[in-house]
Amino acid sequence: MQISAKADYAVRVMLELAAHGPDVVKSTILIDHQDLPRKFVETILVDLRRADLVRSHRGADGGYTLARPASAISIGQIVRAIDGPLAEVRGLRPHECEYTNAAEHLAEVWVAARAALRKVLDETSLAHVLNGKLPVHVRRMAGSPEAWLPR
Amino acid sequence: MQISAKADYAVRVMLELAAHGPDVVKSTILIDHQDLPRKFVETILVDLRRADLVRSHRGADGGYTLARPASAISIGQIVRAIDGPLAEVRGLRPHECEYTNAAEHLAEVWVAARAALRKVLDETSLAHVLNGKLPVHVRRMAGSPEAWLPR
DNA sequence: GTTTTTCCCTATCGGGGTAATAGGGATTGA
DNA sequence: TCAATCCCTATTACCCCGATAGGGAAAAAC
């Protein structure tokens, strides 16, 4: 799972948007609050608008709002909008992989890995992250001390 | 999760090795059985040896064997040896990410995602895949029909 | 209706990784 | 000594990533 800088920034910008409730927030505020590279994030915001995750408002007193309530936008949706599919194997979707001989059952492993990822990223919303109350099964995953150790 | 061609090939080559039991198998056999690009895979085999996942035997009648029993080598180990860490966020390990303000709890999500991945890839061995008997929790993940649908 | 603010578009940049091949050198068993 | 096999170093083409520059377009305020 390689979360690009772009996707990481996108999630953070949207969390900041969510924190400002229903208000229209200008990009400068979002960028400063999260300390991100201005010009780069500007292009990300355009991508997020094209993916219908945020709405833009031009002119003086313009800015951005979430396209839907924070509880209806998952982290997975944002990552997918920016980075593409959550899981790929040599450029293919896990379910498209075809294997023979000794590798016959390999696709099942990739599909299981993707399903495990989805269970975390698609079931965690901006609202969950914002107020720190993650879904129980996600909390349990991150709660184990060994989950924080490198391998 | 981006599994590179290199890592995919590596797993397949090692599955093929596992299928030949304790015998020394020459690269040609592995490559032909899985229909892979010869020269490319030759470099992968060197990487696998350096990672101490296979042992090489030179000279006529040379070839490769697994460095350990197939039940003691996980898919996760192979992927890590070739592609590096299972999960990274803008080049950092999930547990190294630091966030402020609205994003304070974001690291927990990334860590949970990594833990979910580990639970599949580190607990599935070459032997599991070879004989098609995946661990129960992995089987349950891949068993759900929706796990095979794109999103 | 002009001005100001803000979003928005296109182009560009260097660096680094990915997939793959070429060509031959080193090693070992027979 | 011979032949098979592994092993090493380069090199290729290509694309993506992170980031910046510079200005154009829209809309609200006055």
Side-chain angles (χ1 to χ4, degrees):
Chain A
M1 181 189 57
Q2 301 285 78
I3 304 293
S4 66
K6 207 166 172 175
D8 180 64
Y9 296 168
V11 173
R12 287 160 69 182
V13 153
M14 292 198 67
L15 280 169
E16 205 63 46
L17 261 183
H20 288 262
D23 300 356
V24 174
V25 190
K26 50 194 63 164
S27 65
T28 305
I29 303 288
L30 304 172
I31 289 166
D32 288 353
H33 272 221
Q34 286 295 319
D35 192 29
L36 302 174
R38 172 158 286 103
K39 278 301 202 176
F40 190 34
V41 172
E42 279 182 13
T43 67
I44 296 173
L45 282 163
V46 173
D47 291 341
L48 289 174
R49 181 182 51 80
R50 291 211 183 103
D52 198 38
L53 288 170
V54 304
R55 297 217 192 293
S56 64
H57 308 264
R58 289 192 171 198
D61 270 16
Y64 293 91
T65 57
L66 294 181
R68 281 165 285 152
S71 59
I73 300 177
S74 73
I75 306 300
Q77 284 168 17
I78 304 171
V79 171
R80 257 186 225 104
I82 301 296
D83 278 354
L86 289 191
E88 283 189 335
V89 180
R90 39 181 257 271
L92 295 175
R93 316 296 298 272
H95 62 272
E96 294 168 342
C97 295
E98 293 186 10
Y99 296 110
T100 61
N101 299 330
E104 256 183 299
H105 296 281
L106 185 52
E108 295 171 42
V109 179
W110 303 137
V111 168
R114 175 174 69 177
L117 264 186
R118 285 177 172 177
K119 218 166 167 44
V120 172
L121 298 182
D122 283 338
E123 296 182 14
T124 302
S125 71
L126 288 175
H128 287 137
V129 183
L130 186 60
N131 57 38
K133 295 195 199 306
L134 304 178
V136 273
H137 67 279
V138 176
R139 182 162 214 106
R140 216 181 303 124
M141 278 281 168
S144 155
E146 81 218 73
W148 292 81
L149 300 176
R151 282 201 183 164
Chain B
M1 181 188 57
Q2 300 285 81
I3 303 293
S4 66
K6 206 165 174 178
D8 181 63
Y9 296 168
V11 173
R12 288 160 68 182
V13 155
M14 292 199 67
L15 280 169
E16 205 63 47
L17 261 184
H20 286 80
D23 300 357
V24 174
V25 190
K26 50 193 63 161
S27 65
T28 306
I29 304 286
L30 304 172
I31 288 165
D32 288 352
H33 273 222
Q34 286 294 321
D35 192 29
L36 301 175
R38 171 159 287 103
K39 278 300 200 177
F40 190 35
V41 172
E42 278 182 13
T43 68
I44 296 172
L45 282 164
V46 174
D47 291 341
L48 289 174
R49 180 182 51 81
R50 294 210 181 105
D52 197 38
L53 289 169
V54 304
R55 299 216 191 292
S56 65
H57 308 264
R58 288 189 170 200
D61 269 16
Y64 293 91
T65 55
L66 293 182
R68 280 164 286 152
S71 60
I73 300 177
S74 72
I75 306 299
Q77 284 167 19
I78 304 171
V79 172
R80 256 186 225 103
I82 302 296
D83 278 355
L86 289 190
E88 282 188 335
V89 179
R90 39 181 256 270
L92 294 175
R93 316 297 298 273
H95 63 272
E96 294 168 342
C97 294
E98 293 185 10
Y99 297 110
T100 60
N101 298 331
E104 259 183 294
H105 296 280
L106 185 51
E108 294 171 43
V109 179
W110 303 138
V111 168
R114 175 174 67 178
L117 262 186
R118 285 176 172 177
K119 218 167 168 47
V120 172
L121 298 182
D122 283 339
E123 296 182 13
T124 302
S125 71
L126 287 175
H128 287 136
V129 182
L130 186 61
N131 59 35
K133 294 196 201 307
L134 303 179
V136 272
H137 67 280
V138 177
R139 185 166 211 102
R140 215 181 304 124
M141 278 280 168
S144 154
E146 82 218 72
W148 293 82
L149 300 176
R151 281 201 185 165

